[in-house]
Amino acid sequence: MKPIVQKIHHVAYRCKDALETARWYEENLGMQLVLAIAEDAVPSTGEADPYMHIFMDAGMGNVLAFFELPTQPEMGRDPNTPVWTQHLALQVESMEVLLATKARLEAAGIKVIGPTDHALFQSIYFFDPNGHRLELAANTGSPKMLEALDQVKWAMLEEWAQTKRAPKHAAWLHDGSYKTMFK
């Protein structure tokens, strides 16, 4: 099937406080507030549910949006999904930008994990004021690495479907052996 999607228009999450969220993303990640929409009813369903919907510029036409829903119960998260699983990964230009951002976030009192070496990229992880886990990633991989992964992707998925155990086709991603394999 020919892809019908051109790009992700925006990704929307819930937030606790739209003003705090917009300021946090501008101050900590340089994302500018580009649009705010507020309604007393949901346009798609017509149900009464006042909201503030904000849109942040995530660069290169990417938009990260948030809804503040003051009449709804306090937001939570899926208790059956580990906290590290659900996250938003955002690409940065380089390792230098990644490390400088880590230092700036830590100086602002934000706890940061990493950098974590994933062979194809290095990442840092932290939480926004709403409890959403964010990842900043700087690409460090090579075309040869991507080609090697492309060759085993379906075999890995089929093995996983049968065993529910991590296939070892690409163990090099996290065991460090990629450093000598792809010289």
Side-chain angles (χ1 to χ4, degrees):
M1 174 183 196
K2 180 182 173 191
I4 61 168
V5 175
Q6 295 177 324
K7 71 174 196 168
I8 294 174
H9 186 274
H10 68 275
V11 175
Y13 289 91
R14 186 169 175 195
C15 67
K16 297 174 185 176
D17 181 308
L19 179 60
E20 175 191 43
T21 299
R23 286 183 175 154
W24 189 91
Y25 276 84
E26 281 200 0
E27 291 170 8
N28 292 292
L29 298 180
M31 294 175 147
Q32 299 299 307
L33 176 66
V34 294
L35 180 64
I37 300 170
E39 298 286 346
D40 289 320
V42 180
S44 60
T45 66
E47 65 188 290
D49 198 359
Y51 65 85
M52 171 58 71
H53 192 22
I54 61 170
F55 297 77
M56 309 300 297
D57 181 355
M60 298 183 68
N62 296 291
V63 176
L64 177 59
F66 293 93
F67 283 98
E68 181 181 342
L69 306 168
T71 64
Q72 296 295 324
E74 186 175 319
M75 63 184 271
R77 53 174 304 281
D78 175 2
N80 297 319
T81 300
V83 70
W84 59 267
T85 305
Q86 208 164 20
H87 65 279
L88 177 62
L90 305 164
Q91 183 175 314
V92 297
E93 181 181 0
S94 65
M95 278 302 295
E96 292 77 21
V97 171
L98 185 74
L99 296 174
T101 303
K102 177 185 179 180
R104 192 172 65 257
L105 291 169
E106 289 175 334
I110 298 168
K111 183 181 175 187
V112 179
I113 296 172
T116 300
D117 184 354
H118 299 289
L120 298 175
F121 53 92
Q122 297 226 8
S123 299
I124 60 172
Y125 301 90
F126 53 96
F127 290 89
D128 81 356
N130 305 294
H132 299 302
R133 189 174 200 225
L134 300 175
E135 173 183 5
L136 295 184
N139 288 331
T140 56
S142 70
K144 286 183 179 181
M145 290 177 182
L146 294 172
E147 181 181 323
L149 290 171
D150 187 58
Q151 291 175 7
V152 298
K153 64 187 176 193
W154 285 107
M156 288 179 67
L157 193 53
E158 302 231 359
E159 183 177 326
W160 173 262
Q162 295 295 316
T163 67
K164 299 302 181 200
R165 291 188 181 153
K168 301 301 179 196
H169 300 73
W172 53 265
L173 282 168
H174 290 104
D175 70 9
S177 63
Y178 77 90
K179 293 174 184 175
T180 55
M181 288 176 65
F182 297 97
K183 283 197 160 212

